[in-house]
Amino acid sequence: MNEVILEVQHLEKKFGENIVLKDINFQVRAGEVISIIGSSGSGKSTLLRCLNLLEEPTNGNILYRDHSILDGDFSPTEYRTKIGMVFQQFNLFKNMNALKNCTIGQVKILDRSKGEAEKIALENLEKVGMEPYIDARPHHLSGGQQQRVAIARALSMNPDILLFDEPTSALDPETVGEVLETMRLLAEKGLTMVVVTHEMAFARDVSSRIMFMDEGVIVESGPPEQVINHPEHERTKSFLKRYL
Ligand code: ADP
Ligand code: MG
């Protein structure tokens, strides 16, 4: 089996009195594609945000290559370059073209030269099929194109894992497919991914593992064949019924 990149141990997150994540345990191994499914409000985004320290867990631990990311001596800035994130709303820099969106983090955070950063950005823009649009600013691009630039930007930081939080939920239906296809190609190339999604066909066909969350708990986890086709738990069954 491949090496463990992330290990989540007894993770808990509270907002005030509201316990949003309860005793979450799982590992992410190199090359895995994990899909997280579940109803709105079940804690999926909060879990992803804890994984890259956009939220601080209130209990439990997260180990990155055996080091606790919650230790005082751990550098969140450096860590976040290892754990990339793609958001529902793309979050591109609006005043920068596609190329600049993909180079600025490399130059500012990874200290790469402009030339090196552009070379890497172009490789990644090509991977997602956006190299014809390197000069375009976000408002000249469709949602699907913007999301592909956001993916190229995340890839340009050479992350160990890429987290996706409902990457197609804000898209017009006609551009959903191009983003899912891009993600499928990245998965085939061996990128380690954790994807929160409502796209059940994608989850079934591309994931190595699916986790179903409900009310802050991982109710059921396993290969797609098991979780989608033979769910054990009533809550999983009734959730999936809405998508069949
Ligand atoms: P999902 O992504 O599955 O829809 P979220 O992780 O966004 O779920 O939210 C889980 C719960 O945590 C919800 O009840 C939500 O209201 C609550 N929550 C999320 N973020 C915050 C926050 N910053 N402050 C207070 N409550 C929050
Ligand atoms: Mg969410």
Side-chain angles (χ1 to χ4, degrees):
M1 282 243 258
N2 290 351
E3 78 268 23
V4 175
I5 302 178
L6 274 185
E7 173 151 1
V8 178
Q9 300 175 328
H10 306 294
L11 180 69
E12 179 205 82
K13 177 66 183 176
K14 286 189 201 174
F15 291 109
E17 292 298 299
N18 187 11
I19 308 179
V20 169
L21 297 174
K22 297 167 207 164
D23 197 22
I24 302 280
N25 297 280
F26 66 98
Q27 295 179 333
V28 183
R29 288 179 183 270
E32 274 195 296
V33 177
I34 300 177
S35 290
I36 303 177
I37 60 174
S39 306
S40 175
S42 56
K44 307 179 299 298
S45 294
T46 305
L47 175 55
L48 281 198
R49 291 168 62 80
C50 286
L51 292 184
N52 80 348
L53 281 178
L54 286 174
E55 295 288 355
E56 199 180 336
T58 41
N59 224 324
N61 209 344
I62 300 174
L63 307 183
Y64 169 70
R65 300 190 181 279
D66 292 330
H67 299 283
S68 171
I69 68 171
L70 306 177
D71 273 358
D73 60 357
F74 200 86
S75 157
T77 312
E78 194 186 324
Y79 173 67
R80 283 198 200 102
T81 68
K82 303 288 183 199
I83 310 292
M85 182 106 157
V86 173
F87 301 89
Q88 188 173 337
Q89 299 294 349
F90 334 127
N91 297 5
L92 291 175
F93 303 113
K94 292 187 172 40
N95 58 340
M96 295 177 198
N97 66 23
L99 184 63
K100 184 93 193 207
N101 262 284
C102 295
T103 57
I104 186 154
Q106 297 187 64
V107 172
K108 291 218 162 152
I109 298 167
L110 300 180
D111 246 347
R112 288 180 183 153
S113 69
K114 186 165 175 256
E116 190 191 1
E118 288 189 347
K119 182 170 166 285
I120 292 168
L122 285 169
E123 283 168 12
N124 287 305
L125 285 162
E126 193 175 339
K127 259 188 215 165
V128 302
M130 284 302 290
E131 80 283 10
Y133 301 93
I134 56 173
D135 293 325
R137 291 197 184 192
H139 66 275
H140 284 130
L141 300 172
S142 72
Q145 291 173 328
Q146 290 186 55
Q147 193 59 298
R148 286 188 285 145
V149 172
I151 292 170
R153 177 177 65 177
L155 290 172
S156 295
M157 304 297 279
N158 299 106
D160 274 354
I161 302 183
L162 209 47
L163 310 175
F164 293 81
D165 194 358
E166 300 199 29
T168 60
S169 296
L171 300 179
D172 293 331
E174 61 268 27
T175 69
V176 168
E178 69 195 44
V179 172
L180 292 178
E181 185 53 27
T182 300
M183 292 168 64
R184 184 190 304 264
L185 288 174
L186 296 174
E188 277 169 12
K189 288 192 178 131
L191 181 69
T192 310
M193 298 165 41
V194 180
V195 184
V196 171
T197 187
H198 292 285
E199 296 287 340
M200 290 305 141
F202 174 88
R204 186 192 59 219
D205 298 342
V206 180
S207 318
S208 35
R209 190 147 50 96
I210 294 181
M211 304 196 308
F212 168 65
M213 284 185 72
D214 193 33
E215 295 184 355
V217 178
I218 299 175
V219 174
E220 189 155 353
S221 164
E225 153 69 14
Q226 180 190 318
V227 176
I228 303 262
N229 297 345
H230 304 283
E232 284 177 18
H233 294 263
E234 277 313 315
R235 284 194 275 176
T236 319
K237 288 178 194 168
S238 66
F239 172 79
L240 287 170
K241 258 188 207 141
R242 288 187 251 148
Y243 289 90
L244 298 176

